[in-house]
Amino acid sequence: MTKAEARERARRRVSAMSDAEKEWASGAVVDALTSLDALRKCKNPFVFLSAADEPATDELVGLLLAMEKTVSVPRVRGGEMDAVVITPYTNFKKNKWGIEEPVGGHIATDIDLVVVPVVAFDGLHRAGHGKGYYDKFFAAHPDCFKIGIAFDCQRVEGLQVDESDVDMDMVVTEREIIPAQSVSVVNDFGGEPCE
């Protein structure tokens, strides 16, 4: 399945979800994320600010700020994407896609974890929005831990990926945490790694 086909199928499924279903699923994704050892231990997370058809990330950003982490969010600059550090007092404005971006602020350089938007996924393979911002970002930050988040209905089979595409270290939906084979999942509910 091509990325274009996967995106179309996944977007159709998300558009069939009710607002209540999206709200519940977004809450379940945030609960799963905040239970992860990787998220609790990171110091400099980079989190996308969600659109209406994505799991809501505003609660996650607020929780990370409350945990006194150095949180950054995306700001697009031409064909590049910067990770801009925010505080509870940061001002935002909408970009051309209707996504909030910080006004001012400095660029983070030591990102250790990225929460990534996913349009469609097959295991740890991800199809994004097709602009290539995150693949470029990962090339510049190869050591960051990458967690893709999506609604479970965005799962597809047989997704074709390119050599330049970067797999996630983990994908989290409202129903499942999918880790890479090399990644142990440690959460609040027992502390033992899940294989």
mmCIF file of all heavy atoms in Angstrom, residues 49 61 65 69-73 84-90 92 102 106:
data_model
loop_
_atom_site.group_PDB
_atom_site.id
_atom_site.type_symbol
_atom_site.label_atom_id
_atom_site.label_comp_id
_atom_site.label_asym_id
_atom_site.label_seq_id
_atom_site.Cartn_x
_atom_site.Cartn_y
_atom_site.Cartn_z
ATOM 1 N N LEU A 49 2.007 19.994 18.264
ATOM 2 C CA LEU A 49 0.712 20.527 18.678
ATOM 3 C C LEU A 49 -0.310 20.036 17.667
ATOM 4 O O LEU A 49 -0.184 20.263 16.470
ATOM 5 C CB LEU A 49 0.752 22.056 18.754
ATOM 6 C CG LEU A 49 1.731 22.602 19.795
ATOM 7 C CD1 LEU A 49 1.753 24.124 19.765
ATOM 8 C CD2 LEU A 49 1.408 22.094 21.194
ATOM 9 N N VAL A 61 1.351 18.321 26.812
ATOM 10 C CA VAL A 61 2.283 19.451 26.929
ATOM 11 C C VAL A 61 2.166 20.074 28.317
ATOM 12 O O VAL A 61 3.178 20.359 28.977
ATOM 13 C CB VAL A 61 2.021 20.492 25.813
ATOM 14 C CG1 VAL A 61 2.788 21.787 26.085
ATOM 15 C CG2 VAL A 61 2.406 19.927 24.452
ATOM 16 N N LEU A 65 5.145 20.275 31.160
ATOM 17 C CA LEU A 65 5.566 21.550 31.764
ATOM 18 C C LEU A 65 5.443 21.479 33.285
ATOM 19 O O LEU A 65 6.319 21.960 34.007
ATOM 20 C CB LEU A 65 4.728 22.705 31.208
ATOM 21 C CG LEU A 65 5.032 23.124 29.768
ATOM 22 C CD1 LEU A 65 3.963 24.082 29.255
ATOM 23 C CD2 LEU A 65 6.424 23.757 29.666
ATOM 24 N N LYS A 69 9.892 19.858 32.842
ATOM 25 C CA LYS A 69 10.755 19.478 31.730
ATOM 26 C C LYS A 69 10.903 20.673 30.785
ATOM 27 O O LYS A 69 10.055 21.569 30.778
ATOM 28 C CB LYS A 69 10.171 18.280 31.004
ATOM 29 C CG LYS A 69 10.094 17.057 31.928
ATOM 30 C CD LYS A 69 9.693 15.813 31.225
ATOM 31 C CE LYS A 69 9.568 14.641 32.193
ATOM 32 N NZ LYS A 69 10.835 14.208 32.762
ATOM 33 N N THR A 70 11.974 20.681 30.019
ATOM 34 C CA THR A 70 12.176 21.730 29.023
ATOM 35 C C THR A 70 11.459 21.294 27.757
ATOM 36 O O THR A 70 11.987 20.506 26.964
ATOM 37 C CB THR A 70 13.685 21.954 28.761
ATOM 38 O OG1 THR A 70 14.318 22.275 30.008
ATOM 39 C CG2 THR A 70 13.898 23.075 27.771
ATOM 40 N N VAL A 71 10.235 21.777 27.579
ATOM 41 C CA VAL A 71 9.360 21.327 26.502
ATOM 42 C C VAL A 71 9.528 22.239 25.286
ATOM 43 O O VAL A 71 9.545 23.467 25.405
ATOM 44 C CB VAL A 71 7.881 21.352 26.950
ATOM 45 C CG1 VAL A 71 6.965 20.866 25.832
ATOM 46 C CG2 VAL A 71 7.697 20.513 28.210
ATOM 47 N N SER A 72 9.631 21.625 24.111
ATOM 48 C CA SER A 72 9.647 22.397 22.878
ATOM 49 C C SER A 72 8.567 21.871 21.941
ATOM 50 O O SER A 72 8.138 20.718 22.047
ATOM 51 C CB SER A 72 11.023 22.360 22.206
ATOM 52 O OG SER A 72 11.434 21.034 21.974
ATOM 53 N N VAL A 73 8.125 22.763 21.049
ATOM 54 C CA VAL A 73 7.087 22.440 20.073
ATOM 55 C C VAL A 73 7.547 22.931 18.707
ATOM 56 O O VAL A 73 8.443 23.759 18.608
ATOM 57 C CB VAL A 73 5.727 23.064 20.463
ATOM 58 C CG1 VAL A 73 5.242 22.532 21.808
ATOM 59 C CG2 VAL A 73 5.787 24.575 20.464
ATOM 60 N N VAL A 84 11.045 24.770 19.272
ATOM 61 C CA VAL A 84 11.100 26.023 20.019
ATOM 62 C C VAL A 84 10.659 25.776 21.458
ATOM 63 O O VAL A 84 9.575 25.238 21.700
ATOM 64 C CB VAL A 84 10.206 27.091 19.350
ATOM 65 C CG1 VAL A 84 10.244 28.396 20.140
ATOM 66 C CG2 VAL A 84 10.640 27.330 17.911
ATOM 67 N N VAL A 85 11.504 26.163 22.391
ATOM 68 C CA VAL A 85 11.216 25.969 23.810
ATOM 69 C C VAL A 85 10.056 26.879 24.217
ATOM 70 O O VAL A 85 10.011 28.045 23.856
ATOM 71 C CB VAL A 85 12.463 26.265 24.670
ATOM 72 C CG1 VAL A 85 12.136 26.172 26.156
ATOM 73 C CG2 VAL A 85 13.596 25.303 24.313
ATOM 74 N N ILE A 86 9.112 26.291 24.983
ATOM 75 C CA ILE A 86 7.967 27.066 25.445
ATOM 76 C C ILE A 86 7.900 27.055 26.979
ATOM 77 O O ILE A 86 8.564 26.247 27.634
ATOM 78 C CB ILE A 86 6.632 26.524 24.879
ATOM 79 C CG1 ILE A 86 6.386 25.073 25.339
ATOM 80 C CG2 ILE A 86 6.597 26.652 23.370
ATOM 81 C CD1 ILE A 86 4.971 24.584 25.099
ATOM 82 N N THR A 87 7.106 27.973 27.511
ATOM 83 C CA THR A 87 6.810 28.045 28.941
ATOM 84 C C THR A 87 5.295 28.189 29.068
ATOM 85 O O THR A 87 4.597 28.349 28.058
ATOM 86 C CB THR A 87 7.489 29.272 29.595
ATOM 87 O OG1 THR A 87 6.787 30.450 29.175
ATOM 88 C CG2 THR A 87 8.962 29.371 29.227
ATOM 89 N N PRO A 88 4.765 28.174 30.283
ATOM 90 C CA PRO A 88 3.327 28.409 30.432
ATOM 91 C C PRO A 88 2.894 29.793 29.945
ATOM 92 O O PRO A 88 1.704 30.048 29.769
ATOM 93 C CB PRO A 88 3.100 28.267 31.947
ATOM 94 C CG PRO A 88 4.201 27.363 32.405
ATOM 95 C CD PRO A 88 5.373 27.733 31.551
ATOM 96 N N TYR A 89 3.846 30.687 29.707
ATOM 97 C CA TYR A 89 3.522 32.068 29.317
ATOM 98 C C TYR A 89 3.780 32.350 27.843
ATOM 99 O O TYR A 89 3.642 33.486 27.393
ATOM 100 C CB TYR A 89 4.329 33.046 30.183
ATOM 101 C CG TYR A 89 4.190 32.741 31.643
ATOM 102 C CD1 TYR A 89 5.220 32.126 32.345
ATOM 103 C CD2 TYR A 89 3.009 33.025 32.324
ATOM 104 C CE1 TYR A 89 5.078 31.811 33.687
ATOM 105 C CE2 TYR A 89 2.854 32.711 33.668
ATOM 106 C CZ TYR A 89 3.898 32.107 34.337
ATOM 107 O OH TYR A 89 3.735 31.787 35.657
ATOM 108 N N THR A 90 4.133 31.339 27.081
ATOM 109 C CA THR A 90 4.429 31.523 25.653
ATOM 110 C C THR A 90 3.170 31.933 24.894
ATOM 111 O O THR A 90 2.087 31.400 25.127
ATOM 112 C CB THR A 90 4.990 30.215 25.057
ATOM 113 O OG1 THR A 90 6.213 29.894 25.739
ATOM 114 C CG2 THR A 90 5.261 30.344 23.569
ATOM 115 N N PHE A 92 1.141 32.138 21.231
ATOM 116 C CA PHE A 92 1.061 31.312 20.030
ATOM 117 C C PHE A 92 0.243 32.021 18.956
ATOM 118 O O PHE A 92 -0.608 32.860 19.253
ATOM 119 C CB PHE A 92 0.382 29.969 20.348
ATOM 120 C CG PHE A 92 1.192 29.080 21.251
ATOM 121 C CD1 PHE A 92 1.104 29.208 22.635
ATOM 122 C CD2 PHE A 92 2.036 28.124 20.722
ATOM 123 C CE1 PHE A 92 1.845 28.392 23.468
ATOM 124 C CE2 PHE A 92 2.784 27.300 21.550
ATOM 125 C CZ PHE A 92 2.687 27.438 22.925
ATOM 126 N N PRO A 102 4.612 28.709 18.421
ATOM 127 C CA PRO A 102 5.051 29.721 19.384
ATOM 128 C C PRO A 102 5.579 30.970 18.691
ATOM 129 O O PRO A 102 6.200 30.894 17.627
ATOM 130 C CB PRO A 102 6.167 29.011 20.157
ATOM 131 C CG PRO A 102 6.654 27.947 19.251
ATOM 132 C CD PRO A 102 5.493 27.536 18.402
ATOM 133 N N HIS A 106 13.462 30.498 22.088
ATOM 134 C CA HIS A 106 14.739 30.038 21.530
ATOM 135 C C HIS A 106 14.620 28.588 21.074
ATOM 136 O O HIS A 106 13.751 27.842 21.513
ATOM 137 C CB HIS A 106 15.887 30.227 22.527
ATOM 138 C CG HIS A 106 15.798 29.349 23.730
ATOM 139 N ND1 HIS A 106 15.017 29.632 24.827
ATOM 140 C CD2 HIS A 106 16.391 28.156 24.009
ATOM 141 C CE1 HIS A 106 15.134 28.670 25.723
ATOM 142 N NE2 HIS A 106 15.963 27.757 25.259
#
